[in-house]
Amino acid sequence: MLAGTTLLAVAVTLAAANLRISVTSLSSVLGDVQRGLTATSAWASAVTAAPSICFGLAALVSPWLARRLGGGPAIAGALALLAAGLVVRVLAGPALLLGGTLVACAGIAVCNVLVPVVVKESFPTKVGLVTGIYSSSMAAGSAVAAAVTPPLATASGGWRPALAAWAIPAALALAVWLIGARRATDVVAGDQVHGGRRNLLRVPMAWVFTLLFAAQSIYAYVIMGWLPEILRDAGIDRDAAGVLLGITMVVAVPLNLVVPHFAARLRSQSWVMIGLTVMPVVGVLGLMLAPATVPLAWALLLGAGMTIFPVVLTMMALRTRTSAETTQLSGMSQGFGYLIAAGGPFLAGLVHGWLGSWTVPLILVLGVLAAQATLGAVIGRPRHI
């Protein structure tokens, strides 16, 4: 088990800051990339869906990696894979960009599953607080990548160096992780994982968690993947659209610091889950009806809805009895949840390509948010799986 030191907390924070930059940096210049590579709209849809697909597949094997390698080394390898993928994807054409994105996202997926387990194991009395810091760092990193990449592309002469630059913070996170976790032999000890192991595929509440994770992921990745293009189609220029995506991501930073910690203290989190769904509903309606009227307001509301992610992670720890169960539930819900969610951004892009409008994709997002509120209300009731 990793000791809950300050240096480890810093390592967790830096790792988290890199877990969405591959998505938001690319989406903020996706139109330029697509035109530069003369790629099709189907390719653009595949690129936005790639993170969820890769997150899902890699998440399913992450508990196995933790048992074989130890959690600390597994996370270190994942950060190295992330940095490599961010460089590789800018070296050639559409196929390599997609492949490099998949490599980067494979690294992210391992961290997605194992870092929350580090939090539970190493900071058992501060799960809500540290999860909030972890999620806030993730939101801040994604916000900076979204806002900075378009002007960086202008300053550096193109989107390739602008996207490749994000390998630098990933390498920094790897270096700090190697120092902060150097005394660790395992995040989840093999004996713990094997001892008392349950088949969660037969546990109904584990599937409710999985569907909830899928719903919030569909919402998040449709917004992260397509918001700049939605705004640009409404007449907002590229740099402003990137900044608005950055605002969408950064608004979650203060909320992530407070809401998971607050939710963890409650006996039931049902109303928290419902409340966190109402705000993005209003934001999506704004995008549908008047996207260019008050886009800042829509960005703030959409970003507030992202706060549900750390609450779900916190509830995984609250609803399980051991770190072994937390790892299993995290792997299952993220693995299958992300695979289900991959259809969201892909379908949104295809439907927009067919119809030339974002109305129908956004209506589908509203349906997903309705499912999220229902599933969240169920998960919020106090019990263990």
Side-chain angles (χ1 to χ4, degrees):
M1 182 174 71
L2 293 171
T5 63
T6 300
L7 186 56
L8 177 60
V10 172
V12 167
T13 302
L14 287 177
N18 286 274
L19 297 188
R20 294 296 179 269
I21 60 174
S22 69
V23 179
T24 58
S25 61
L26 179 57
S27 66
S28 66
V29 291
L30 184 57
D32 294 343
V33 174
Q34 184 179 351
R35 287 187 291 273
L37 297 177
T38 61
T40 65
S41 59
W43 175 88
S45 297
V47 167
T48 61
S52 292
I53 295 172
C54 201
F55 289 177
L57 293 174
L60 292 173
V61 302
S62 293
W64 176 83
L65 283 175
R67 293 194 300 272
R68 292 295 300 270
L69 303 178
I75 292 172
L79 290 171
L81 206 61
L82 169 59
L86 291 173
V87 173
V88 166
R89 71 177 182 173
V90 304
L91 297 180
L96 192 61
L97 190 144
L98 180 59
T101 298
L102 288 170
V103 169
C105 290
I108 292 171
V110 174
C111 292
N112 280 341
V113 174
L114 297 185
V115 173
V117 181
V118 171
V119 172
K120 175 164 179 140
E121 285 274 300
S122 305
F123 306 94
T125 63
K126 300 178 181 178
V127 170
L129 176 61
V130 179
T131 298
I133 294 172
Y134 160 82
S135 302
S136 295
S137 179
M138 185 188 302
S142 61
V144 171
V148 170
T149 302
L152 184 59
T154 301
S156 63
W159 57 266
R160 291 182 191 273
L163 291 179
W166 297 108
I168 297 172
L172 175 63
L174 171 61
V176 176
W177 182 266
L178 289 173
I179 298 170
R182 66 187 182 278
R183 289 178 296 178
T185 56
D186 242 323
V187 173
V188 252
D191 291 342
Q192 276 186 303
V193 175
H194 287 291
R197 189 171 173 82
R198 299 169 62 195
N199 182 3
L200 294 187
L201 295 176
R202 297 181 179 179
V203 179
M205 288 304 296
W207 281 106
V208 176
F209 256 111
T210 299
L211 293 176
L212 174 60
F213 198 91
Q216 67 86 27
S217 297
I218 291 172
Y219 165 74
Y221 283 93
V222 169
I223 298 303
M224 282 192 285
W226 291 114
L227 180 60
E229 293 302 304
I230 294 172
L231 295 172
R232 291 181 73 175
D233 285 353
I236 297 172
D237 68 58
R238 182 195 69 177
D239 288 6
V243 169
L244 286 165
L245 176 60
I247 291 171
T248 298
M249 305 310 299
V250 82
V251 72
V253 172
L255 293 175
N256 287 352
L257 287 171
V258 175
V259 177
H261 187 54
F262 168 75
R265 291 173 172 269
L266 299 176
R267 185 170 182 273
S268 170
Q269 291 78 29
S270 295
W271 285 108
V272 174
M273 303 297 288
I274 293 170
L276 289 174
T277 304
V278 172
M279 291 179 286
V281 166
V282 178
V284 172
L285 287 171
L287 283 183
M288 286 176 55
L289 302 176
T293 304
V294 280
L296 177 60
W298 311 145
L300 292 171
L301 289 166
L302 293 169
M306 302 284 186
T307 308
I308 200 168
F309 173 74
V311 177
V312 173
L313 293 182
T314 300
M315 289 169 61
M316 287 183 188
L318 295 176
R319 296 294 179 262
T320 50
R321 292 181 174 85
T322 66
S323 61
E325 283 192 350
T326 305
T327 306
Q328 285 183 268
L329 181 60
S330 181
M332 175 181 168
S333 60
Q334 293 194 48
F336 292 113
Y338 275 128
L339 288 176
I340 295 169
F346 184 75
L347 184 61
L350 284 185
V351 172
H352 172 259
W354 293 333
L355 302 180
S357 166
W358 290 105
T359 300
V360 173
L362 291 174
I363 289 173
L364 295 176
V365 172
L366 289 174
V368 169
L369 288 171
Q372 173 183 290
T374 303
L375 294 165
V378 173
I379 279 298
R381 297 169 187 166
R383 74 189 85 178
H384 287 105
I385 64 169

